[in-house]
Structures are given as structure tokens and as C-alpha cells.
Amino acid sequence: MSVITSSLHSLKLSSPKTRFLNGSTPLTRLSKPTSTPQNLPYSSFPQIKAMKKMQGRVVCASSDKTVAVEVVRLDPHPKYKRRIRKKKKYQAHDPENQFQVGDLVQLEKSRPISKTKSFIAVAMPPRNASKKAAGESSNAGNNELGIPSESEQQLEA
């Protein structure tokens, strides 16, 4: 037994000044990672940056400060690989009870508010707002050319 312990004491894996056979540095000289998580300012609903925001339509707004939002996404079929619509309902926090059934909302991930609520509903501008603005500018372009439309010609006559 004493022979084994004396041989163990005589063996040293690496001293700080020696190198391993393959040329790498000993573990004691390797630097430890210095990255630390950044301290974010406190917020009542901290955002999780890795989570994408989801968009959906409110399907139920009867509960107080809670709305049910249905999110539709396209996902490939496991066997046929055709993209099919998949729907999922999420419970979202609506602190001012501002959303009605049919409203488009954006869901942002937050801390768990209850057993089923971990999203906050945020208002979204309507999708067709940009189309209306583009349509108004195209009508204004016809008047700038000085060409009256047919309806204006009939009103003049």
C-alpha cells in the first residue's frame, strides 16, 4: 500500500511551468469565462428577448383583464409536407379591458401572471391602413395631371 501512495505522490500531471506532451497549456492557466449576464432595468413585465412576438385575433373577451387570442400559423404536414394551418389559443393579459372580439393583437411574452396567462396583449394597427393611404395618393395623382374622371365629367354636364 505504501508503494502505491509513494508512486502517486511522485506523479504530477502538470506543474504551472511545464507543458503537456501535445503542447497545450495546463488547465490551471486557462482563463475562466468572464461574460456575465447584463443587469437589465427592473420592469413589472420583463421582456424575454429570445421569444418572437405572435399575432392573433381575439376570440373571447368576457373575462376581466383577460382575453383569449387565437394564433394561426403555417406548419408542414409531417407526412405530405404540405403547409397546413394550425391554430392555438393563448390566454393574454389585458389590463384596461380595451380589446373586443375580432381585434388584431400582438402577444408579448412576460412573466407568468396566472396558471394559464404568460402573455400580454398589445394593440396593433390595422393591416389595411397602408393600402388606404396608397389608394388616396393614386387618386390625387390623376387630379394633378388635370384629367377629370368620368364621374366628374358627368357632374359638369
Side-chain angles (χ1 to χ4, degrees), residues 19-145:
R19 296 173 92 45
F20 287 115
L21 293 176
N22 61 0
S24 63
T25 58
L27 293 177
T28 55
R29 289 190 169 196
L30 293 177
S31 63
K32 294 182 180 178
T34 57
S35 63
T36 58
Q38 297 177 1
N39 296 332
L40 299 175
Y42 174 74
S43 174
S44 61
F45 297 114
Q47 290 185 347
I48 298 175
K49 298 293 182 184
M51 181 67 187
K52 287 173 59 174
K53 296 177 183 176
M54 295 184 291
Q55 297 175 2
R57 188 170 299 275
V58 176
V59 291
C60 179
S62 59
S63 302
D64 186 33
K65 297 184 180 181
T66 302
V67 290
V69 179
E70 186 177 59
V71 176
V72 179
R73 63 185 176 89
L74 294 175
D75 198 34
H77 189 276
K79 182 177 180 181
Y80 301 115
K81 306 302 181 205
R82 181 177 181 222
R83 295 191 331 169
I84 56 175
R85 286 185 184 149
K86 293 201 173 184
K87 298 178 182 179
K88 186 165 181 182
K89 275 176 41 174
Y90 294 96
Q91 300 292 321
H93 187 59
D94 178 19
E96 289 94 27
N97 291 326
Q98 63 183 356
F99 298 114
Q100 302 298 323
V101 174
D103 291 346
L104 281 176
V105 295
Q106 192 168 18
L107 299 180
E108 292 184 0
K109 188 82 173 156
S110 72
R111 65 175 175 82
I113 299 166
S114 70
K115 180 180 176 182
T116 57
K117 284 197 307 188
S118 61
F119 291 96
I120 299 173
V122 179
M124 280 182 48
R127 289 184 182 178
N128 55 3
S130 61
K131 291 179 183 177
K132 287 181 182 177
E136 291 172 2
S137 64
S138 65
N139 290 340
N142 291 340
N143 293 336
E144 289 177 2
L145 294 176

